[in-house]
Amino acid sequence: MGDTLTVLGLESSCDDTAAAVVRQRAGCLPEILSSVVRGQTALHAPFGGVVPEIAARAHAEKIDLCVEQALAAAGVGLGDLDAVAVTAGPGLIGGVLAGVMCAKGICAATGLPLVGVNHLAGHALTPRLTDGLGFPYLMLLASGGHCQFLSVAGVEDFTRLGGTIDDAPGEAFDKTAKLLGLPQPGGPEVERAAMAGDPGRFAFPRPLMDRPGCDMSFSGLKTALLRARDAIIAEKGGITVQDRADLCAAFQAAVRDVLAGKAARAVAAAPGATALAVAGGVAANRVIRAALEQVAGDAGLRFVAPPLALCTDNAAMIAWAGLERFRLGARDGMDLVARPRWPLDETQPALIGAGKRGAKA
Ligand code: KG4
Ligand code: ZN
């Protein structure tokens, strides 16, 4: 194995078809030579959520095109690669299969080694790709389908400190937007509306903050919001733009307090960590990001928030996680299986309902 490794990564576990090429010289910061992401938002929009069969078909149709584009944009050919990394789970099984079959095809035709990657490991190792973070560090993954605190001590050494027991925070933002007549995805819309709102007008709960540990719950928040909305409608016959802004601000403040409060506990539970890093679409929220940065600062930890394109689903993180595994000697055979469920920390019991939406992580 050479000192410099170049890896092609494939990602197709939910509704983004992606391919990327990442290169690293041992001991140096890696370089993203290309990163192609083809979203499927328009295909699923009429159905109000990701339709697994439509997603799988679109992945199967587009993945080889993404690979071609990623190689061309990187200026490399298959012969310049050292390995092919692919998301082997968790996710929607049809989509994961499309990526795994494509990667196996490339490896069978070229003789290149195959490396299966856990999608969540891709997110969790991203701060090493973008900022060269050393182990151990703390990670908060907060997206539309996922929410967990991880202590990351090695390329394959993850300890889950806690996670949501029901909805993911992005899912709660999306449902809130729906209840208030705002478009999807709801997170950015709710954040925008909240800017003009008074977070103190409604006393929404801070679920599970009265219990020890880092587990979280977000489904009760949307019920509280629904009740508050209906009370206004019963009283005034409808909600004004200001009512909506206040509801959004109060909701966002509650999510912020839960994430920041639990992050402080995660920090206390992982004394060796040198940084707090975030990933997932919810990490784009400025109010939440600022609160997490404060928690990190108070604990004397570095705060790392990768650029948004690398916080959300992409294949550069898969190429990178594959490259890290490959450097450590990991190789998969043609018997690599696609796994719809694949917890990062297999020693922990499954959280009730976590990732209810199933696949999107
Ligand atoms: O990581 P992501 O792009 O996809 C996955 O779920 O894997 O995250 C999307 C989620 C959506 O639920 C979206 O509403 C939420 O992240 N989101 C936000 C913001 N931007 C995106 N939530 C709160 N504030 C935002 N600014
Ligand atoms: Zn993801």
Side-chain angles (χ1 to χ4, degrees), residues 11 13-14 16 90 119-120 123 141 143-144 146 280-281 311-314 317 359-361:
E11 157 63 34
S13 64
C14 189
D16 291 302
H119 176 88
L120 299 171
H123 279 304
L141 297 183
S143 69
H146 218 84
C311 274
T312 55
D313 287 352
N314 66 89
M317 69 178 189
K360 184 119 192 181

PDB file of all heavy atoms in Angstrom, residues 11 13-14 16 90 119-120 123 141 143-144 146 280-281 311-314 317 359-361, ligand 2:
ATOM      1  N   GLU A  11     -22.557   6.716  -2.103  1.00  0.00           N
ATOM      2  CA  GLU A  11     -23.570   6.862  -1.057  1.00  0.00           C
ATOM      3  C   GLU A  11     -24.965   6.836  -1.694  1.00  0.00           C
ATOM      4  O   GLU A  11     -25.209   7.555  -2.671  1.00  0.00           O
ATOM      5  CB  GLU A  11     -23.342   8.191  -0.311  1.00  0.00           C
ATOM      6  CG  GLU A  11     -24.538   8.780   0.407  1.00  0.00           C
ATOM      7  CD  GLU A  11     -25.091   7.915   1.535  1.00  0.00           C
ATOM      8  OE1 GLU A  11     -24.303   7.227   2.205  1.00  0.00           O
ATOM      9  OE2 GLU A  11     -26.320   7.915   1.719  1.00  0.00           O
ATOM     10  N   SER A  13     -27.978   5.758   0.599  1.00  0.00           N
ATOM     11  CA  SER A  13     -28.776   5.124   1.654  1.00  0.00           C
ATOM     12  C   SER A  13     -30.132   5.766   1.876  1.00  0.00           C
ATOM     13  O   SER A  13     -30.989   5.186   2.527  1.00  0.00           O
ATOM     14  CB  SER A  13     -27.988   5.124   2.958  1.00  0.00           C
ATOM     15  OG  SER A  13     -27.754   6.449   3.382  1.00  0.00           O
ATOM     16  N   CYS A  14     -30.333   6.984   1.352  1.00  0.00           N
ATOM     17  CA  CYS A  14     -31.656   7.597   1.532  1.00  0.00           C
ATOM     18  C   CYS A  14     -32.108   8.256   0.243  1.00  0.00           C
ATOM     19  O   CYS A  14     -32.428   7.563  -0.705  1.00  0.00           O
ATOM     20  CB  CYS A  14     -31.667   8.552   2.704  1.00  0.00           C
ATOM     21  SG  CYS A  14     -33.349   9.104   3.067  1.00  0.00           S
ATOM     22  N   ASP A  16     -30.300  10.834  -1.454  1.00  0.00           N
ATOM     23  CA  ASP A  16     -29.227  11.504  -2.193  1.00  0.00           C
ATOM     24  C   ASP A  16     -28.351  10.430  -2.827  1.00  0.00           C
ATOM     25  O   ASP A  16     -27.879   9.529  -2.130  1.00  0.00           O
ATOM     26  CB  ASP A  16     -28.351  12.357  -1.259  1.00  0.00           C
ATOM     27  CG  ASP A  16     -29.098  13.567  -0.728  1.00  0.00           C
ATOM     28  OD1 ASP A  16     -29.560  14.378  -1.555  1.00  0.00           O
ATOM     29  OD2 ASP A  16     -29.244  13.694   0.501  1.00  0.00           O
ATOM     30  N   PRO A  90     -26.561   2.030   7.745  1.00  0.00           N
ATOM     31  CA  PRO A  90     -27.974   1.715   7.714  1.00  0.00           C
ATOM     32  C   PRO A  90     -28.692   2.617   6.720  1.00  0.00           C
ATOM     33  O   PRO A  90     -28.169   3.656   6.346  1.00  0.00           O
ATOM     34  CB  PRO A  90     -28.412   2.045   9.150  1.00  0.00           C
ATOM     35  CG  PRO A  90     -27.474   3.118   9.607  1.00  0.00           C
ATOM     36  CD  PRO A  90     -26.177   2.869   8.884  1.00  0.00           C
ATOM     37  N   HIS A 119     -22.837   4.297   7.254  1.00  0.00           N
ATOM     38  CA  HIS A 119     -23.183   5.679   6.924  1.00  0.00           C
ATOM     39  C   HIS A 119     -22.966   6.622   8.130  1.00  0.00           C
ATOM     40  O   HIS A 119     -22.483   7.750   7.978  1.00  0.00           O
ATOM     41  CB  HIS A 119     -24.653   5.697   6.476  1.00  0.00           C
ATOM     42  CG  HIS A 119     -25.197   7.047   6.203  1.00  0.00           C
ATOM     43  ND1 HIS A 119     -25.110   7.652   4.979  1.00  0.00           N
ATOM     44  CD2 HIS A 119     -25.835   7.935   7.001  1.00  0.00           C
ATOM     45  CE1 HIS A 119     -25.672   8.844   5.028  1.00  0.00           C
ATOM     46  NE2 HIS A 119     -26.128   9.038   6.235  1.00  0.00           N
ATOM     47  N   LEU A 120     -23.323   6.140   9.313  1.00  0.00           N
ATOM     48  CA  LEU A 120     -23.177   6.979  10.510  1.00  0.00           C
ATOM     49  C   LEU A 120     -21.705   7.213  10.847  1.00  0.00           C
ATOM     50  O   LEU A 120     -21.326   8.285  11.322  1.00  0.00           O
ATOM     51  CB  LEU A 120     -23.890   6.327  11.699  1.00  0.00           C
ATOM     52  CG  LEU A 120     -25.386   6.125  11.512  1.00  0.00           C
ATOM     53  CD1 LEU A 120     -25.958   5.281  12.637  1.00  0.00           C
ATOM     54  CD2 LEU A 120     -26.094   7.468  11.446  1.00  0.00           C
ATOM     55  N   HIS A 123     -20.583  10.120   8.819  1.00  0.00           N
ATOM     56  CA  HIS A 123     -20.878  11.412   9.468  1.00  0.00           C
ATOM     57  C   HIS A 123     -19.911  11.647  10.627  1.00  0.00           C
ATOM     58  O   HIS A 123     -19.379  12.742  10.802  1.00  0.00           O
ATOM     59  CB  HIS A 123     -22.296  11.410  10.034  1.00  0.00           C
ATOM     60  CG  HIS A 123     -23.369  11.684   9.022  1.00  0.00           C
ATOM     61  ND1 HIS A 123     -23.382  12.814   8.236  1.00  0.00           N
ATOM     62  CD2 HIS A 123     -24.497  10.982   8.685  1.00  0.00           C
ATOM     63  CE1 HIS A 123     -24.466  12.803   7.462  1.00  0.00           C
ATOM     64  NE2 HIS A 123     -25.148  11.701   7.701  1.00  0.00           N
ATOM     65  N   LEU A 141     -24.737  13.984  16.253  1.00  0.00           N
ATOM     66  CA  LEU A 141     -25.372  13.822  14.943  1.00  0.00           C
ATOM     67  C   LEU A 141     -26.822  14.216  15.120  1.00  0.00           C
ATOM     68  O   LEU A 141     -27.536  13.598  15.897  1.00  0.00           O
ATOM     69  CB  LEU A 141     -25.348  12.359  14.485  1.00  0.00           C
ATOM     70  CG  LEU A 141     -24.019  11.668  14.241  1.00  0.00           C
ATOM     71  CD1 LEU A 141     -24.262  10.250  13.730  1.00  0.00           C
ATOM     72  CD2 LEU A 141     -23.222  12.456  13.231  1.00  0.00           C
ATOM     73  N   SER A 143     -30.054  15.104  12.694  1.00  0.00           N
ATOM     74  CA  SER A 143     -30.564  15.281  11.337  1.00  0.00           C
ATOM     75  C   SER A 143     -32.074  15.063  11.306  1.00  0.00           C
ATOM     76  O   SER A 143     -32.743  15.130  12.330  1.00  0.00           O
ATOM     77  CB  SER A 143     -29.859  14.301  10.402  1.00  0.00           C
ATOM     78  OG  SER A 143     -30.268  12.999  10.704  1.00  0.00           O
ATOM     79  N   GLY A 144     -32.586  14.780  10.102  1.00  0.00           N
ATOM     80  CA  GLY A 144     -34.018  14.574   9.963  1.00  0.00           C
ATOM     81  C   GLY A 144     -34.450  13.194  10.421  1.00  0.00           C
ATOM     82  O   GLY A 144     -35.640  12.936  10.595  1.00  0.00           O
ATOM     83  N   HIS A 146     -32.233  11.257  12.679  1.00  0.00           N
ATOM     84  CA  HIS A 146     -31.279  10.741  13.620  1.00  0.00           C
ATOM     85  C   HIS A 146     -30.872  11.756  14.667  1.00  0.00           C
ATOM     86  O   HIS A 146     -30.809  12.940  14.376  1.00  0.00           O
ATOM     87  CB  HIS A 146     -30.036  10.326  12.842  1.00  0.00           C
ATOM     88  CG  HIS A 146     -29.458   9.092  13.403  1.00  0.00           C
ATOM     89  ND1 HIS A 146     -29.891   7.846  13.077  1.00  0.00           N
ATOM     90  CD2 HIS A 146     -28.503   8.939  14.339  1.00  0.00           C
ATOM     91  CE1 HIS A 146     -29.223   6.965  13.778  1.00  0.00           C
ATOM     92  NE2 HIS A 146     -28.381   7.604  14.547  1.00  0.00           N
ATOM     93  N   GLY A 280     -25.117  16.834  10.495  1.00  0.00           N
ATOM     94  CA  GLY A 280     -26.554  16.681  10.279  1.00  0.00           C
ATOM     95  C   GLY A 280     -27.179  18.035   9.987  1.00  0.00           C
ATOM     96  O   GLY A 280     -26.649  19.079  10.393  1.00  0.00           O
ATOM     97  N   GLY A 281     -28.306  18.014   9.279  1.00  0.00           N
ATOM     98  CA  GLY A 281     -28.936  19.250   8.835  1.00  0.00           C
ATOM     99  C   GLY A 281     -29.269  20.217   9.964  1.00  0.00           C
ATOM    100  O   GLY A 281     -29.201  21.442   9.788  1.00  0.00           O
ATOM    101  N   CYS A 311     -21.978  18.263   6.200  1.00  0.00           N
ATOM    102  CA  CYS A 311     -22.776  17.867   7.375  1.00  0.00           C
ATOM    103  C   CYS A 311     -23.944  17.017   6.919  1.00  0.00           C
ATOM    104  O   CYS A 311     -24.391  16.115   7.606  1.00  0.00           O
ATOM    105  CB  CYS A 311     -23.360  19.097   8.069  1.00  0.00           C
ATOM    106  SG  CYS A 311     -22.283  19.863   9.250  1.00  0.00           S
ATOM    107  N   THR A 312     -24.483  17.326   5.743  1.00  0.00           N
ATOM    108  CA  THR A 312     -25.617  16.560   5.224  1.00  0.00           C
ATOM    109  C   THR A 312     -25.071  15.406   4.374  1.00  0.00           C
ATOM    110  O   THR A 312     -23.865  15.269   4.198  1.00  0.00           O
ATOM    111  CB  THR A 312     -26.534  17.478   4.397  1.00  0.00           C
ATOM    112  OG1 THR A 312     -25.744  18.103   3.394  1.00  0.00           O
ATOM    113  CG2 THR A 312     -27.152  18.561   5.262  1.00  0.00           C
ATOM    114  N   ASP A 313     -25.982  14.566   3.856  1.00  0.00           N
ATOM    115  CA  ASP A 313     -25.526  13.343   3.181  1.00  0.00           C
ATOM    116  C   ASP A 313     -24.676  13.652   1.946  1.00  0.00           C
ATOM    117  O   ASP A 313     -25.037  14.495   1.120  1.00  0.00           O
ATOM    118  CB  ASP A 313     -26.734  12.480   2.799  1.00  0.00           C
ATOM    119  CG  ASP A 313     -27.336  11.824   4.033  1.00  0.00           C
ATOM    120  OD1 ASP A 313     -26.723  11.933   5.112  1.00  0.00           O
ATOM    121  OD2 ASP A 313     -28.400  11.205   3.907  1.00  0.00           O
ATOM    122  N   ASN A 314     -23.558  12.949   1.845  1.00  0.00           N
ATOM    123  CA  ASN A 314     -22.609  13.152   0.743  1.00  0.00           C
ATOM    124  C   ASN A 314     -21.731  11.911   0.664  1.00  0.00           C
ATOM    125  O   ASN A 314     -21.750  11.054   1.555  1.00  0.00           O
ATOM    126  CB  ASN A 314     -21.766  14.411   1.017  1.00  0.00           C
ATOM    127  CG  ASN A 314     -20.862  14.244   2.214  1.00  0.00           C
ATOM    128  OD1 ASN A 314     -19.735  13.778   2.078  1.00  0.00           O
ATOM    129  ND2 ASN A 314     -21.338  14.557   3.421  1.00  0.00           N
ATOM    130  N   MET A 317     -17.716  11.855   2.676  1.00  0.00           N
ATOM    131  CA  MET A 317     -17.555  11.274   4.024  1.00  0.00           C
ATOM    132  C   MET A 317     -17.424   9.752   3.946  1.00  0.00           C
ATOM    133  O   MET A 317     -16.751   9.135   4.779  1.00  0.00           O
ATOM    134  CB  MET A 317     -18.726  11.688   4.925  1.00  0.00           C
ATOM    135  CG  MET A 317     -20.063  11.073   4.561  1.00  0.00           C
ATOM    136  SD  MET A 317     -21.346  11.601   5.730  1.00  0.00           S
ATOM    137  CE  MET A 317     -22.706  10.521   5.244  1.00  0.00           C
ATOM    138  N   ALA A 359     -34.845   5.363   7.882  1.00  0.00           N
ATOM    139  CA  ALA A 359     -33.606   5.248   7.173  1.00  0.00           C
ATOM    140  C   ALA A 359     -32.727   6.469   7.245  1.00  0.00           C
ATOM    141  O   ALA A 359     -31.532   6.382   7.421  1.00  0.00           O
ATOM    142  CB  ALA A 359     -33.929   4.987   5.738  1.00  0.00           C
ATOM    143  N   LYS A 360     -33.322   7.606   7.087  1.00  0.00           N
ATOM    144  CA  LYS A 360     -32.505   8.807   6.899  1.00  0.00           C
ATOM    145  C   LYS A 360     -31.691   9.053   8.140  1.00  0.00           C
ATOM    146  O   LYS A 360     -32.214   9.158   9.231  1.00  0.00           O
ATOM    147  CB  LYS A 360     -33.403  10.001   6.621  1.00  0.00           C
ATOM    148  CG  LYS A 360     -32.621  11.222   6.317  1.00  0.00           C
ATOM    149  CD  LYS A 360     -32.913  11.744   4.956  1.00  0.00           C
ATOM    150  CE  LYS A 360     -31.878  12.790   4.595  1.00  0.00           C
ATOM    151  NZ  LYS A 360     -32.075  13.369   3.312  1.00  0.00           N
ATOM    152  N   ALA A 361     -30.387   9.129   7.979  1.00  0.00           N
ATOM    153  CA  ALA A 361     -29.564   9.324   9.157  1.00  0.00           C
ATOM    154  C   ALA A 361     -28.663  10.525   8.944  1.00  0.00           C
ATOM    155  O   ALA A 361     -27.764  10.535   8.239  1.00  0.00           O
ATOM    156  CB  ALA A 361     -28.756   8.097   9.430  1.00  0.00           C
TER     157      ALA A 361
HETATM  158 ZN    ZN B   2     -26.899  10.977   6.884  1.00  0.00          ZN
END
